[in-house]
Structure formats: C-alpha cells, structure tokens
Amino acid sequence: MQQPGRAAEIKANGIGKSFGSFRALDNLTLDIGRGEFLTLLGPSGSGKTTFLMILAGFVQPSEGKLFSDGVDITNRPAEQRAAGMVFQGYALFPHMSVEQNIAFPLKVRKKSAAEIKNLVGEMIERVGLKGHEKKLPAQLSGGQQQRVALARALVFEPGVLLLDEPFSALDKSLRGQMQAEMKRLHQETGTTFVFVTHDQSEALALSSRVAIFNHGKLLQVGRPDEVYNRPTNRFVAEFLGEINMLPVKGVRPADNGATGLCEDRAVNMRCKAEAIKGDAILAIRPEDMSIAPEAFANQNGIAATAVASTYLGAATKLDLTTRQGAKVTVSVPNEVAAAALSKGNSVWLTWPAEKGFLLPDGGQ
Amino acid sequence: MRGPLSDRMGAALLMAPLLLFLILAYAWPFLGVVKWSFTLPTPGLGQYHALLTDDLVQSVFIRTLRIAAIVTVVSVTAAYAITVVWVRGSPVQRVLAEFCILVPFWISVLTRAFGWVALLSNRGLINTWLQSVGFISEPLTLVRNEFGVIVGMSHFLIPFAVFPLASAMRSLDERVLLAARGLGSSRMRTFWTVFVPMTRSGIIGSALITFVFSLGFFVTPAILGGGRSVMIAELIYLRIFQSPDWGLGAAISVVLVVFVGALMALLFRYVKPKQLV
Ligand SMILES: Nc1ncnc2c1ncn2[C@@H]1O[C@H](COP(=O)(O)OP(=O)(O)O)[C@@H](O)[C@H]1O
Ligand SMILES: [Mg+2]
C-alpha cells in the first residue's frame, strides 16, 4: 500500500472488531495476493464494509494485525496508507468539478501542474468522461459519478483499490457494462482489487477469488468455481446460488468417493467423506440434475413428481417433490419439462456421481 | 380523514393569528413611519436629501456598517470553532460546547452588557489583572469605544451564528471526509479544502444573520460604546426622542428597513428557514 505504481500484497492476521458488545468481525485471517481481484461477498451486515474500512485505515481493529508487503501497517493512519477507495455512494467532493475531484490526490502529493493535467486528462479518457470535465458531481448521472469515483481512486496509482458495493445504486444494464469496465481496469492497472458486494453473480463473474462472509466470520475463500462447486458449508452453498438438499443416510467412504442411501436407493458420490459419517446432506445445483424417463442401474437417481414449472426462455425451471417429500428444483430443456409435466405422475431425477457434494447434517 | 392537505390547512389556520399580529404590530406602524419620512417637517423628499448630505448621519451609517462587518467576521469565526467542537467533538466536548452556546440565552442583554463593562473598564477585572501581573502600567481603554462595542455584540451574536453552521455541518456526508483522508490528505488540509467549502451555505447564512442583527443593535452599543460610538439604531432613537427630528429619524429607519429587507431576501436564497433554528 505504500509504493505507488506497484500492486500490494496484504495479510490480515486474526483481525477482530467489536462495537461495544457487538462482534462485527471475528478472528479474520486472509491473504490477499499481489494484483489479484478479491471479492468480499456476504449478506448485508456481515462485516464486509467494516473489513474494508480496517484495510483502508478508517477503522482500528480491536484485535489482530495487518501487513502490507510484509510491513506491519495496523497502526498506520489512513492518509499514509493511501489505498484507493471507492465508497458506497461514491463520496465525491460536491464542491469540486470532475477534473478537480480527480486531481485531488495528485495535488495532495504535490505533483506539478503539468503532470496533474496529463494524468487527469489520461484518466478522464480512460473512464470515458471526456466532455464532462467541468461539471459538478450533482450534474452527473449515477454511472458517471461512479466513473469519477473510480478515476479519483486510481489516478495516483495506489497499491490496492478498495471498492464498497460500487454498483449497488446502478440499474441492471449499466451494472453489466461497469463490471466489464472494472475487469478491464484491473487488467490495465495490475493493481490489487478488493471488491465488496452482496450480489453472488457479480462476485462469481468478476473475481479471481471470492471470500464469503456471514455474521462477521470469514466462512470460505477460493476461486469462483471452487466456492460454487465445492462449498465447505451450507451457508456458502445456499448463498452462491439455488441448490437442492437431499438427506443421505449411512454415508461411508467407498472407491474414489463415498456412498450412502438417498430415499432408500444407494447413491455414489465422488466427493470425499472423511469428516462426514452417518447422516448427511447431499447438495446438488439445479443445472447438475436431469430428468430421465426411467431408472438405470448404477446411476444415481430418485423418483419425484413434477408440481410446477417456470419458463425462463432458454430453459425451464421445474419444481418437483420427491417420494419422501423433499422439494427439488431442476433446470431442464423446455421440451423435457413439458413432457415431465404432462406425464403427471412419477419421473426419474438423476445426477452424475461427480456432481454434488456432502454437507454435515443440520447446522452450517 | 386527516390527509396532508387538511394538515396544511390546519397549520395555516394556526399561523393566521401570528400573521395578523405581525401586521398590526409592525407593518401598520411602519407605514406610519414611512409617511412621516415624507411629510415631516414639510412634505417632500427633504429628509432623504438631508440623509445623503448630513455628515453625522453618514458617519454613523459608515460606522454601523464597519462594526457590523467586524462583528460578523469575529462572531462567525468564533461560532465556527465552537460548532466544530459541538458537532464533531467527543461527548464531553459536546456538552461543554452546548453549555457555552445555551447559557448566554438565559442572561438578559442588559446584564451581559454591564458584565462586559465590569470586565473591560479601567478598573475592571482584565485591566486589574494585567497590571498586577505587570504586563501594562496604565490601564488599556477597552470599553466606551468601538472595541467594547465589538466585544459585547460578538458575544451576544455568537450563539445565533452557531445554528446555521451546525445545520450545515450535521448534513455533511462523513464519507466524503474519509475519502479525502484516504486519498492522502492530512486532517488540516481536509478541513480547509473539503470541510469548510462544504459548509459554505452555513457560513453565508450565519454571516447574513449576524450582519443583519448587528445593524439593529441598540442596548449593547449604547452601554459599551459610552456615547462615543453611536450606531444607527441609537441615532434613530436620539433623532426621535431627543432632538426631536421625527422626519429624519423616520427616513433613517426606512433606509435601514429596506437595506435589511434586501439582505434577508439574499439570506433566504442561500438558506432554508428551517436551517436557522
Ligand atoms: N460504527 C459502528 N458502530 C456500531 N455498529 C457498527 C458500526 N459499524 C458497523 N456496525 C455494525 O457492524 C455490522 C457489520 O456492518 P458492515 O461492516 O457495515 O456490514 P456490511 O458492509 O457487510 O453490510 C452491522 O451489524 C453494523 O450495524
Ligand atoms: Mg456495507
């Protein structure tokens, strides 16, 4: 965070934060790699902003240490850390024009007028604000204010860019556009990005790694495909997208995986079950299940009845109830859904052994 | 069945007696004053002509504007410092600041003026102390001159200058200040380049209120000025009750009211009335 123009590597070690008796963050340990795009994902109130504020130096942690490139910066004031930050709501200087907002961090650093003019001009071009240089923030649209905030935070080449839900106030189409620009800016600058969102699809689309928070705890960190396909607990599994939960009895290790009984039928799983014995939950994403007309030997499957369908255009979402009353959702081709519904009674739900994962029964 | 419309009508009905009172107590008599200014002692514009040529009247006008300007700068600056502590200080600082702001409201303007005389006079607390410490040998003239007037008036006006400032500071987005610091700006620089400009409307409102109030001061300059630093309100009083020169006194009043009216119009362009309380 201290050398301009060079991406920073940050280590958070056992960070905790209490507000009175309320625990906003608990024993958070996290390594943020040089130049990575890390997303902090979690529901509202899970402590994401608090952690970002601690990284920026605006909030002092109650416990723990923070390192930047190996240097302890836990007690370093915010103005000396100089992380670029984009606040929720942007926090632009309302009395300064676009140009003056972006020039602010450079003026603070006593750059020459010529250099400031150059860098600001370059940045304005890069974020597509040409022609708006003299406007005040109040005269700009939400998307444009967003760009000013980004430009202001990037113009002094900070080692890390912290972004607190930067797109939450934008409408959907603008969001997609800004996400693409964000990716491009990350590649162009090579800076370490720490990005906060409560939108799981945004997190999966943008990040090199995702850190999932709940109730002030860091639950899991990993690449988007890792956390999506191999969540280590139920909260992460459910937060990252729709998922079906089927109870499995008598789980035990088997050849390259595990085996157990699901609705009185033997099912095979590729995932390891060393921590899990006896009863467990088998979690499978809707897109990983399909519908077959009848049962095949040696294939995972259970009987279910289709009860409702939602047409999504490219596919149909089908709601089913299993024989033992579990609710299941699958995403299937439109004709398959129509056939399943018209059949009225039982269909066969199947899934490949390598899809799905085991979670401990009950609890998180 | 009470919608917003009937609420508004109810509020208007409640305000109506106040409006009536203001018309009867101020507007109507003032029309009489306007009439005097054109008719006494003889009909015509004579009094306004005198007002433009009379050296005494002119010097009092200029002194009033000068004192009002100085008092405004002093009061707004002091009020700004107090308000920063009041709005952004630690809990203990807040209570202390609130005390400083509210206590003056409980003491009458007359008592305060004499209090300042006791402090500032030749044998007052300040001169006695300075002499006993040996800083000065002869007492300083701190009262019965413009200095005393400025001190007394500023002291009276600081609490009034606080409210528009407090309202501007309270509505300021904390994150903008954090943003400035995060971008590398020191606390000092953030204060001057971000905090102060963002409270601009409060400063303007505060300055206009102080200035307008200063123009009409009577008791404080009369006591602390000791007759040597007569301000416009005292001059009007002298013209009407002592000279008596009702026509000129009335003309001065009319000019003052028109001037203050223009300033108030300016004030409400910058500040909403509810920000002043
Ligand atoms: N300054 C504070 N004082 C008291 N509680 C706070 C403060 N800041 C945050 N919190 C609490 O800490 C929790 C986490 O907040 P936050 O980090 O803003 O969550 P998120 O950004 O994930 O929505 C919330 O319950 C919030 O009310
Ligand atoms: Mg937040």
Side-chain angles (χ1 to χ4, degrees), chain A residues 291-292 304-311 316-321 330 332-348:
Chain A
I291 288 183
T305 313
V307 291
S309 74
T310 314
Y311 181 67
T316 295
K317 199 181 95 172
L318 201 57
D319 295 321
L320 307 106
T321 310
V330 293
V332 292
N334 297 326
E335 350 34 281
V336 175
L341 273 173
S342 69
K343 227 173 137 189
N345 43 27
S346 212
V347 294
W348 200 246

Side-chain angles (χ1 to χ4, degrees), chain B residues 21-160:
Chain B
F21 171 79
L22 288 175
I23 290 173
L24 287 178
Y26 290 99
W28 186 248
F30 182 68
L31 284 179
V33 173
V34 173
K35 196 176 130 210
W36 291 349
S37 75
F38 290 109
T39 55
L40 295 175
T42 50
L45 289 171
Q47 296 307 337
Y48 290 92
H49 184 253
L51 195 146
L52 285 173
T53 47
D54 186 328
D55 284 347
L56 177 68
V57 174
Q58 300 232 319
S59 74
V60 170
F61 254 112
I62 288 169
R63 177 185 300 128
T64 304
L65 291 178
R66 181 179 62 231
I67 291 180
I70 297 172
V71 165
T72 300
V73 172
V74 171
S75 307
V76 173
T77 310
Y80 204 90
I82 294 173
T83 315
V84 169
V85 175
W86 187 32
V87 174
R88 309 186 54 83
S90 68
V92 177
Q93 289 173 327
R94 280 175 201 217
V95 172
L96 282 176
E98 202 158 306
F99 193 71
C100 293
I101 296 162
L102 291 181
V103 162
F105 283 117
W106 303 334
I107 308 170
S108 89
V109 59
L110 211 60
T111 317
R112 278 196 266 166
F114 283 116
W116 279 110
V117 173
L119 268 176
L120 299 174
S121 69
N122 284 4
R123 295 181 173 196
L125 276 177
I126 291 181
N127 273 317
T128 322
W129 180 73
L130 285 175
Q131 278 173 309
S132 72
V133 182
F135 275 147
I136 51 171
S137 49
E138 291 297 304
L140 300 171
T141 317
L142 300 174
V143 77
R144 300 201 194 294
N145 59 6
E146 231 173 270
F147 179 81
V149 175
I150 289 168
V151 169
M153 284 173 62
S154 302
H155 178 238
F156 183 87
L157 288 171
I158 286 168
F160 294 95

Side-chain angles (χ1 to χ4, degrees), chain A residues 53 58 78-79 82-83 87-88 91-96 104-105 107-109 152 156, chain B residues 173 175-187 189-190 193-195 197-198:
Chain A
M53 291 296 202
F58 297 132
E79 55 268 34
F87 286 81
Q88 212 165 356
L92 298 176
F93 304 126
H95 58 294
M96 296 186 197
F104 185 86
K107 282 204 181 127
V108 169
R109 287 170 176 72
R152 185 180 68 173
F156 61 103
Chain B
D173 182 357
R175 283 177 300 192
V176 177
L177 303 178
L178 287 185
R181 284 188 46 221
L183 293 168
S185 170
S186 65
R187 278 168 201 272
R189 192 187 178 108
T190 305
T193 59
V194 180
F195 188 81
M198 281 180 73

Side-chain angles (χ1 to χ4, degrees), chain A residues 260-322:
Chain A
L261 281 180
C262 181
E263 308 221 337
D264 304 324
R265 271 186 59 98
V267 292
N268 294 310
M269 292 147 283
R270 285 285 170 274
C271 53
K272 296 192 192 77
E274 63 255 330
I276 297 167
K277 288 222 171 57
D279 295 353
I281 299 284
L282 174 59
I284 314 164
R285 300 272 175 212
E287 66 272 20
D288 291 335
M289 293 186 118
S290 47
I291 288 183
E294 59 196 89
F296 293 104
N298 299 327
Q299 191 181 30
N300 292 334
I302 54 173
T305 313
V307 291
S309 74
T310 314
Y311 181 67
L312 299 176
T316 295
K317 199 181 95 172
L318 201 57
D319 295 321
L320 307 106
T321 310
T322 67

